[in-house]
Amino acid sequence: MRKLLLLLAALLFAGLAAADPRFTVVKVDLRTERLELFLRDDAGVPFKRFDRLDAWLKERHRQLDFAVNAGMYHEDFSPVGLLVRDGREEAPLNLADGVGNFFLKPNGVFLVSDAGPRVVESSEYPALAKGVRLATQSGPLLLRHGVVHPAFIPHSDSRKIRNGVGVIGHTAIFVISEKPVNFHEFALYFRDVLHCRDALYLDGTVSALHSAALHRSDFVRELGPMLGIASP
């Protein structure tokens, strides 16, 4: 993983970042790297921060190489929607209507199975659930089959630091904005620059990235679920 991220860092600073400094991109090839979901320690206490997760991993002779916040959560840090870890459903799919970004339909699920990563519309998930190793639900979908979410406004003045995930083949592509952007700009970056057809918004305001290769570990506020990769 470290070699992957170091190579990516060089590409970022030489290429993508120079072309558009608003975004940092981390690409994870799931044929060679194992993505995990983290939420609570062995005592059931939420990690809330990258440094606490890293300390817990180091007690187990592992190191956190990469992590991002993994979707929206309640005040007790439990996920608003679906959470599947190591093939076990820990929180159910949420198809309810409501207020806020999570409920801006269509929303979606980022999942990983033996077939690789996918971003799907939430109602499509039950038919795909068998064999899923990891899944997290969030919303709204940024892209569905290459189409930008119909509720996004091109010149919206709702600008925030945002992060999300897209997929191409066996690669999960994580993006965090370095400057506030609106939903429409964020979706177009996934579609027109990264060439993703499906992408999911993870969150805004709380968006954070940990990367050992980039010598970066953000703390904005305490987090719920986290997606990460840990060595050895």
Side-chain angles (χ1 to χ4, degrees), residues 11-124:
L11 291 173
L12 280 172
F13 293 125
L16 282 177
D20 195 335
R22 295 178 301 166
F23 302 101
T24 294
V25 180
V26 176
K27 297 183 179 182
V28 177
D29 187 337
L30 294 177
R31 292 170 296 187
T32 58
E33 304 296 338
R34 182 174 177 82
L35 197 62
E36 299 179 65
L37 267 168
F38 301 97
L39 177 57
R40 299 182 180 91
D41 64 17
D42 298 330
V45 178
F47 292 113
K48 302 180 185 178
R49 299 169 56 126
F50 295 141
D51 57 350
R52 294 173 185 167
L53 172 58
D54 192 30
W56 181 82
L57 287 166
K58 284 177 178 174
E59 292 175 355
R60 288 149 183 79
H61 309 291
R62 304 175 73 196
Q63 176 177 317
L64 186 64
D65 292 321
F66 160 76
V68 294
N69 54 294
M72 298 171 190
Y73 51 95
H74 296 293
E75 290 184 1
D76 65 355
F77 301 97
S78 64
V80 175
L82 178 74
L83 189 78
V84 176
R85 294 195 314 129
D86 298 323
R88 297 187 301 273
E89 183 180 295
E90 298 185 4
L93 189 70
N94 185 346
L95 298 179
D97 294 323
V99 177
N101 288 331
F102 179 92
F103 298 101
L104 187 59
K105 304 291 181 67
N107 58 13
V109 173
F110 168 69
L111 65 89
V112 177
S113 68
D114 289 342
R118 292 187 67 179
V119 169
V120 300
E121 196 271 325
S122 292
S123 66
E124 297 172 341

Side-chain angles (χ1 to χ4, degrees), residues 177-216:
S177 68
E178 300 301 330
K179 297 180 180 180
V181 295
N182 65 35
F183 272 127
H184 193 261
E185 292 166 339
F186 198 41
L188 289 186
Y189 186 76
F190 273 98
R191 188 189 70 182
D192 298 344
V193 177
L194 300 177
H195 306 297
C196 295
R197 289 184 51 78
D198 298 290
L200 178 65
Y201 181 62
L202 292 175
D203 215 334
T205 306
V206 307
S207 299
L209 169 68
H210 173 94
S211 169
L214 298 175
H215 305 290
R216 172 174 175 173

